[in-house]
């Protein structure tokens, strides 16, 4: 039987939903029930009636789905798909930085482990980081782990004092200001849409900065016909699908190998054998849920 048909059949038998991030392989995005940015995926995971969630993306996303659905089966077709940024800040490091700044709130990017989330006051994604920090009564905020996203939030909220951690995304860090300048020279009419995980000096060259969902929305609504896309290349699939008459240029270096691990074969295998289940320590999941729930309640 055709692999796509078999996946669809097994999905129906098991009352499963397939969630995929905007960076996944094109064929994975096409078979998914829902494709989105980290925030939309977390919301979708918290609202679904499906009994089984198949998460195509990286581990912190699948862990997030399990944290908000402790009673459901959450499967990862590729359990070794780990976001390198997520391991750049440990719970102990958060405890230590908090002890030096006892009045500060700790805001943690969802690109972090479940254990690190237990030490955060509230989570954020790239879509809502500015709103999350702005919503807090504290003037001083410890922002972990992404220094670039933290710097972007600081630029939008000068009244807050942000204490940064030194985490980063290797994929977005690879896009240098010189690369952006060069591509702008080749395509002077193009609008530059960038992700806030990029370096601040590269973001200075952007016309628009947003999450992957924000970039997709901007490309749809803009009157421009050409775009330079400063984020992981997987997003180009949806950009072209949704805007067939527009041109998109991206950066060869901007590939996240972890986001490319999941393919149709691993999804089929995952549904057939119900593996690999995301299993979290109960007390860790419970404590991590507080910071995730606070973010989801903000909805912005
Ligand atoms: P968003 O889709 O939330 O913008 O996240 C980007 C990312 O790098 C996820 O790992
Ligand atoms: Fe992590 Fe960067 Fe890959 Fe996103 S693109 S999963 S932040 S390494």
């Amino acid at each position: 039987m055709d692999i796509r048909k078999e996946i669809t059949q097994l999905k129906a038998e098991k009352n499963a939903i397939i969630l995929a991030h905007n960076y996944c392989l094109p064929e994975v995005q096409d078979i998914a029930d829902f494709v989105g940015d980290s925030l939309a995926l977390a919301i979708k995971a918290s609202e679904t009636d499906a009994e089984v969630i198949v998460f195509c993306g990286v581990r912190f996303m699948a862990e997030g789905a399990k944290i908000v659905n402790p009673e459901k089966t959450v499967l990862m077709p590729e359990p070794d798909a780990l976001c390198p940024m997520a391991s750049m800040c440990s719970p102990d490091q958060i405890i230590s930085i908090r002890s030096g700044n006892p009045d500060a709130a700790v805001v943690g990017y969802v690109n972090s482990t479940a254990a690190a989330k237990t030490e955060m006051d509230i989570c954020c994604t790239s879509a809502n980081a500015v709103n999350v920090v702005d919503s807090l009564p504290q003037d001083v905020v410890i922002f972990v782990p992404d220094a670039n996203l933290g710097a972007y939030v600081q630029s939008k909220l000068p009244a807050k004092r942000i204490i940064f951690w030194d985490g980063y995304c290797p994929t977005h860090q690879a896009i240098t200001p010189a690369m952006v300048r060069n591509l702008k020279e080749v395509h002077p009419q193009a609008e530059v849409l960038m992700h806030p995980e990029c370096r601040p000096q590269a973001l200075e060259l952007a016309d628009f900065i947003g999450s992957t969902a924000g970039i997709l929305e901007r490309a749809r609504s803009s009157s421009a016909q050409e775009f330079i896309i400063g984020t992981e290349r997987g997003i180009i699939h949806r950009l072209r699908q949704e805007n067939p008459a527009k041109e998109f240029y991206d950066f060869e270096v901007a590939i996240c190998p972890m986001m490319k691990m999941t393919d149709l074969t691993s999804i089929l295998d995952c549904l057939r054998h119900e593996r690999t289940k995301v299993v979290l320590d109960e007390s860790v999941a419970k404590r991590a849920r507080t910071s995730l729930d606070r973010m989801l309640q903000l909805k912005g």
Side-chain angles (χ1 to χ4, degrees), residues 43-195:
I43 293 171
K44 193 77 186 170
S46 70
E47 291 174 348
T48 182
D49 291 333
E51 284 165 60
V52 176
I53 300 172
V54 175
F55 217 112
C56 307
V58 288
R59 176 162 280 275
F60 77 80
M61 298 178 174
E63 282 184 353
K66 183 67 183 171
I67 290 167
V68 295
N69 289 294
E71 73 296 344
K72 288 190 179 165
T73 301
V74 178
L75 302 174
M76 264 194 93
E78 292 291 347
D80 294 332
L82 304 173
C83 166
M85 192 204 291
S87 57
M88 290 182 188
C89 189
S90 70
D92 286 349
Q93 286 170 319
I94 299 178
I95 292 169
S96 154
I97 187 168
R98 197 199 275 276
S99 72
N101 303 274
D103 297 330
V106 176
V107 177
Y109 196 24
V110 287
N111 299 37
S112 49
T113 61
K117 287 185 176 74
T118 65
E119 299 300 334
M120 297 169 182
D121 295 314
I122 185 166
C123 287
C124 72
T125 74
S126 58
N128 62 15
V130 174
N131 288 349
V132 166
V133 173
D134 198 28
S135 75
L136 298 170
Q138 292 90 338
D139 294 328
V140 184
V141 170
I142 297 164
F143 193 94
V144 295
D146 188 3
N148 290 343
L149 180 60
Y152 172 68
V153 174
Q154 179 71 87
S155 74
K156 293 283 169 194
L157 301 172
K160 300 271 184 189
R161 182 165 78 82
I162 298 190
I163 300 167
F164 304 108
W165 191 246
D166 59 1
Y168 64 95
C169 160
T171 303
H172 288 85
Q173 197 77 353
I175 304 172
T176 64
M179 288 176 193
V180 181
R181 256 184 243 110
N182 288 346
L183 210 51
K184 271 170 81 111
E185 263 173 43
V186 181
H187 305 287
Q189 304 302 325
E191 236 184 35
V192 181
L193 316 185
M194 300 199 66
H195 195 279

Side-chain angles (χ1 to χ4, degrees), residues 210-266:
S211 77
T212 54
I215 289 173
L216 283 155
E217 172 50 33
R218 173 65 176 223
R220 274 192 293 270
S221 60
S222 170
S223 58
Q225 291 304 302
E226 292 176 80
F227 300 86
I228 290 168
I229 303 298
T231 190
E232 210 278 344
R233 306 185 83 186
I235 197 173
I236 298 296
H237 177 60
R238 258 187 94 182
L239 283 166
R240 292 203 173 121
Q241 261 182 349
E242 293 177 7
N243 308 278
K246 296 183 177 181
E247 291 291 339
F248 298 95
Y249 314 110
D250 64 350
F251 299 92
E252 264 178 40
V253 290
I255 290 196
C256 173
M258 296 296 161
M259 283 287 186
K260 309 301 178 208
M261 285 175 76
T262 306
D263 59 16
L264 293 184
T265 311
S266 57

